[in-house]
Amino acid sequence: MAWPSISYPEWSATCDTLHAHTQVLGKLAAELAPPEPQLQHAALRLTARGWETLPLPAPDGSGAFVVALDLHRHEALVETSGGKRQAVPLIPNRAVGEVTTDLLAAVAAVAGEARIDPEPQEVVWTVPLDCDEEHATYEEQAVAAYFGMATRAAGVLAAFRAPWRGRSTPVNAWWGSFDLAVNLFSGDPAAPPSDDFIMRNAMDAQEVAVGWWPGDPKHGGAAFYAYAHPANPGFSDADLGVPGARWDGELGEYLLEWEDVAAASDPFGLALDFARAAFRHACATCGWDPSLAATAEGTPPPVA
């Protein structure tokens, strides 16, 4: 089947609204989940229904609850381990501030009151989430196209990660940068690139990240990406040998544009080739253990 596609300019307003909704989920996770290295406790997951937290401890001590954006029913919902459920509709012309207020009220009603820092993160706008009247565009067809793209990208990332025998993350859905990513670690520490809270906590280990995002104002199109931290000299110089793959000096990443993937005779295979080629190059230039690096391509095989 043809892979779905929507250009970033076609849905940028809806993208910003959806992005803002994911931030509410992420901030609940950051507030309530037990802290983990590389801020893993704050990451969300892409499930068959949309963006979702892992089970979080209910503030009222009643058990666990999850908060999700159901992109089929177009609602934000809260579900508890005790069977309670409340939903908040996601509809056109319903502002982020209203949805945020109603969603936090739903959490309080079924799991206990939870407070979040409403300041948005890693975005150009600054109005607190519970006061945001600007972002209210929500087009269901655009959301469906995005979700179709995201689920296929997540499948590529999961397949890339699967044979790896070192430490890695699952396919994370990051609400700050609104991307999907897997991170593979060498086992060695690394100096964070800055003293910023996110950088010093998320990037204190040698890693290679491979991910996908739907585009943003700086890069007006969806793409797979790959970067290494820290990146040794020569990392940016490679021809990965994958059609369409290129180094983007402004972003500091290797990119493979979604339009090239979607147009390929084997979109999954092309995207997986990109992930493996970028990782192979990163391991070679950054001095990773060759035997560990080889496991990312199934040597030895993950299942005997």
Side-chain angles (χ1 to χ4, degrees):
M1 296 179 62
W3 280 25
S5 185
I6 185 171
S7 69
Y8 176 74
E10 288 181 75
W11 85 295
S12 59
T14 295
C15 180
D16 285 348
T17 301
L18 184 61
H19 187 178
H21 291 328
T22 69
Q23 297 227 340
V24 181
L25 274 62
K27 285 174 175 289
L28 284 165
E31 182 69 26
L32 297 173
E36 297 183 37
Q38 280 79 51
L39 301 178
Q40 287 299 296
H41 63 290
L44 303 175
R45 300 287 184 269
L46 195 75
T47 70
R49 64 180 172 184
W51 284 61
E52 191 165 342
T53 69
L54 291 174
L56 303 173
D60 64 6
S62 61
F65 75 104
V66 298
V67 188
L69 300 177
D70 189 325
L71 303 184
H72 298 301
R73 296 178 179 270
H74 301 288
E75 61 185 18
L77 61 94
V78 185
E79 292 180 335
T80 74
S81 55
K84 295 180 181 179
R85 184 184 191 277
Q86 284 205 12
V88 176
L90 303 176
I91 57 177
N93 303 316
R94 191 149 198 252
V96 165
E98 183 180 352
V99 172
T100 299
T101 299
D102 288 353
L103 184 55
L104 292 176
V107 171
V110 301
E113 185 177 4
R115 298 183 181 275
I116 65 169
D117 175 2
E119 182 180 352
Q121 291 181 222
E122 299 180 67
V123 292
V124 297
W125 62 87
T126 59
V127 176
L129 294 164
D130 55 355
C131 299
D132 186 344
E133 300 296 326
E134 174 189 356
H135 299 103
T137 303
Y138 189 90
E139 299 176 353
E140 291 185 0
Q141 289 186 335
V143 170
Y146 155 76
F147 191 39
M149 296 164 66
T151 53
R152 284 157 177 83
V156 171
L157 299 177
F160 163 64
R161 170 190 175 272
W164 174 249
R165 295 200 174 207
R167 184 168 76 89
S168 66
T169 71
V171 180
N172 285 325
W174 287 110
W175 46 275
S177 46
F178 200 52
D179 63 335
L180 308 175
V182 291
N183 301 69
L184 277 55
F185 300 95
S186 71
D188 293 330
S194 77
D195 196 44
D196 169 82
F197 174 83
I198 293 176
M199 292 295 101
R200 72 173 186 266
N201 285 282
M203 302 189 73
D204 61 354
Q206 189 180 42
E207 64 176 289
V208 175
V210 181
W212 174 88
W213 89 114
D216 56 36
K218 292 183 178 179
H219 186 81
F224 286 92
Y225 67 82
Y227 67 82
H229 170 69
N232 286 353
F235 176 69
S236 62
D237 299 337
D239 176 354
L240 297 182
V242 177
R246 62 181 176 85
W247 173 258
D248 187 298
E250 183 176 352
L251 295 176
E253 301 170 339
Y254 284 98
L255 296 183
L256 178 64
E257 304 290 348
W258 182 262
E259 60 186 21
D260 292 327
V261 174
S265 59
D266 179 8
F268 187 94
L270 178 63
L272 186 58
D273 285 348
F274 168 76
R276 288 175 171 168
F279 182 71
R280 191 184 310 124
H281 169 61
C283 290
T285 58
C286 297
W288 287 35
D289 177 355
S291 61
L292 180 62
T295 68
E297 298 186 55
T299 304
V303 179

